[in-house]
Amino acid sequence: MPAAAEPRLPRAGARLAEVEDIEVEVEKLVAGGEGLARFEGIPIFVPRSAPGDRLRVRLVERRPDFGRGETLEILRPGPDRRPAPCPHFANCGGCDLQHLNDEAQTRLKAQAVLETLERLGRVQRPADFRIVVGSPWAYRLRAQLHTSEIGGLGGAVRVGYHARGSNELVAIGQCPVLTPALEGLVKELPAALRTAFPEAGSVPRRVDLAAGQDGALSTAPVVEGLPHGEVTFAAGEFVYAFDARCFFQAHSGLLNELVEVAVGSWKGEAAYDLFSGVGLFTLPLARRYGRVTGVESDAGAVRFARTNARRNRILNAEFVQRPLDAWIRELPRDVDRVLIDPPREGLSMPARRVLLHRRPRRLTYVSCHAATLARDLRELQESYTVESLALLDLFPQTGHMEAVVQLAAIAGAP
């Protein structure tokens, strides 16, 4: 008589459908900042939790192979948990990790990035590995704020961030991750916007802010009574101009380290800086390579990049204003250096294919998103070997971490 078949366990989604509130213990932080717990072996992701937390959570998302929960009660706090320093943290979506000690944030985020690179990208931690840390507070040079109006004509204007997971506005009176100059401007914004836009419904729904090194400020869109135009910040021997509409790295204390780690000491004839922005990496590359080409789709950033090259007396750099996928096939074969700093979605498949086959001798990948970095590196390792990895905590109090990966082309790779 044949042996009885083992009973089949229900899929995670079916099992989770049977429960509402559960007790879990958080094992670790994963890339992006959520805590990972398990319920009957099923992964449960819990935002704003800490390793070692014993929690009662309510399931708010049920997927075929995992769930997501919101904390109802902290039954036992983990060893790294602390009271959040900012009074807005409970509702505001601007920060993810204020409930964790500053040192623990960096350590746990680094572990999560390394695990993601190994699991998804098959990237082993290289011998040349380091973590770079700066100030965890009052560091941020840029912010994107949202607004709402209360009442009709002459009603109050509220300014803040969206609530976590929704478009509901959380009005703020302070933001301790911003530089002091930016935080001061945030306090002035409601009255300034109401004065500039007295009619009900006329206030811009979004305001972008940027701060320079000397405390100068820039806002967009242009609002009468608020500062606008360019600001400047120095990194190494270069001074960069940008404004509130441009992308620029946000951590005021780690720009020098980021440029140093990314550019390095290599030299050669030709280098390409893809997603070059206002030229943060292009200009120092131009000191080490005979000619440098920056490729950037944003017209405003390209204008600033050309201005920055001229003001810093860089004569061997040119900037191309085109989307990368429209330009990438123009990349020559076997160039000395390519540096890429893509947005969070990483490289497109066509871009990865070109880099695989054109094989620059050195490829530098700068990324703030561990999962897309891992995806891209898994494919790029067909033609490159990972030489070094640096993790820079450019985004304290959030779940993000900047990675700089140095890769060298494999001789004889197909």
Side-chain angles (χ1 to χ4, degrees):
M1 187 172 181
E6 290 288 333
R8 295 185 63 184
L9 294 175
R11 296 187 69 187
R15 179 67 187 98
L16 294 180
E18 301 171 357
V19 295
E20 187 73 23
D21 298 351
I22 57 177
E23 286 190 16
V24 295
E25 184 160 331
V26 178
E27 301 173 7
K28 62 183 178 180
L29 216 64
V30 298
E34 292 183 317
L36 171 65
R38 296 183 189 276
F39 173 73
E40 299 182 358
I42 303 168
I44 306 293
F45 297 99
V46 186
R48 303 193 176 191
S49 61
D53 279 353
R54 183 74 185 175
L55 306 173
R56 186 166 66 90
V57 304
R58 172 167 295 151
L59 291 174
V60 295
E61 186 176 353
R62 296 167 175 84
R63 296 293 183 93
D65 52 357
F66 71 89
R68 182 165 279 107
E70 289 285 348
T71 299
L72 296 175
E73 182 181 1
I74 300 173
L75 303 173
R76 186 190 68 233
D80 297 316
R81 180 177 278 279
R82 68 175 177 193
C86 177
H88 303 297
F89 177 69
N91 299 313
C92 177
C95 292
D96 312 303
L97 300 180
Q98 286 193 21
H99 63 289
L100 287 171
N101 294 324
D102 295 329
E103 178 277 330
Q105 288 185 33
T106 300
R107 169 171 46 84
L108 295 171
K109 288 195 293 184
Q111 291 172 0
V113 171
L114 290 171
E115 287 186 9
T116 300
L117 293 180
E118 182 174 357
R119 179 172 54 87
L120 299 182
R122 297 180 180 173
V123 178
Q124 299 298 316
R125 171 174 162 170
D128 187 355
F129 168 74
R130 61 172 163 152
I131 300 173
V132 182
V133 181
S135 172
W137 300 100
Y139 69 87
R140 191 168 180 85
L141 291 171
R142 298 168 50 245
Q144 185 181 98
L145 299 178
H146 302 275
T147 71
S148 68
E149 299 178 62
I150 301 174
L153 185 65
V157 174
R158 302 164 70 240
V159 173
Y161 299 104
H162 283 154
R164 186 166 50 92
S166 80
N167 290 326
E168 181 182 350
L169 184 76
V170 176
I172 61 171
Q174 64 186 88
C175 183
V177 299
L178 299 181
T179 63
L182 272 189
E183 188 176 29
L185 179 60
V186 168
K187 296 175 182 178
E188 300 172 6
L189 275 177
L193 289 169
R194 183 77 288 168
T195 299
F197 300 96
E199 296 183 7
S202 63
V203 174
R205 303 296 291 176
R206 192 185 92 186
V207 181
D208 294 323
L209 313 177
Q213 196 160 28
D214 58 357
L217 299 168
S218 176
T219 62
V222 174
V223 175
E224 184 178 354
L226 292 178
H228 58 273
E230 72 173 48
V231 294
T232 60
F233 208 95
E237 63 179 289
F238 302 103
V239 177
Y240 299 89
F242 58 99
D243 66 18
R245 298 167 297 177
C246 293
F247 172 80
F248 194 73
Q249 293 289 351
H251 199 300
S252 58
L254 289 179
L255 282 176
N256 288 343
E257 287 82 356
L258 175 62
V259 171
E260 177 185 333
V261 169
V263 174
S265 58
W266 299 278
K267 296 181 179 181
E269 289 300 316
Y272 291 81
D273 182 9
L274 311 183
F275 304 99
S276 54
V278 302
L280 179 64
F281 301 123
T282 322
L283 303 194
L285 283 170
R287 287 282 192 250
R288 298 189 166 278
Y289 292 84
R291 63 184 186 280
V292 181
T293 302
V295 181
E296 170 60 49
S297 63
D298 183 74
V302 171
R303 284 195 296 272
F304 273 112
R306 290 169 178 158
T307 296
N308 291 333
R310 184 179 69 253
R311 290 178 180 174
N312 287 277
R313 304 190 181 193
I314 297 295
L315 305 178
N316 60 330
E318 67 169 340
F319 294 91
V320 178
Q321 186 206 329
R322 288 173 65 187
L324 183 68
D325 285 354
W327 175 91
I328 190 63
R329 295 190 181 279
E330 297 182 22
L331 178 71
R333 185 178 296 275
D334 298 328
V335 298
D336 295 304
R337 181 79 177 274
V338 169
L339 188 152
I340 52 177
D341 184 9
R344 290 183 182 181
E345 57 265 28
L347 294 172
S348 67
M349 184 179 292
R352 297 197 300 270
R353 291 283 95 192
V354 170
L355 289 170
L356 275 170
H357 296 300
R358 303 291 167 86
R359 286 200 306 150
R361 295 182 181 90
R362 173 158 303 279
L363 176 62
T364 302
Y365 198 134
V366 181
S367 172
C368 66
H369 196 284
T372 56
L373 173 63
R375 177 202 65 197
D376 293 350
L377 290 179
R378 180 168 181 168
E379 188 170 348
L380 290 170
Q381 286 179 103
E382 295 176 21
S383 294
Y384 303 88
T385 183
V386 174
E387 289 189 340
S388 69
L389 169 64
L391 299 180
L392 296 90
D393 199 357
L394 297 188
F395 315 99
Q397 317 311 325
T398 81
H400 303 293
M401 203 165 203
E402 195 86 349
V404 179
V405 186
Q406 298 290 353
L407 305 102
I410 300 172

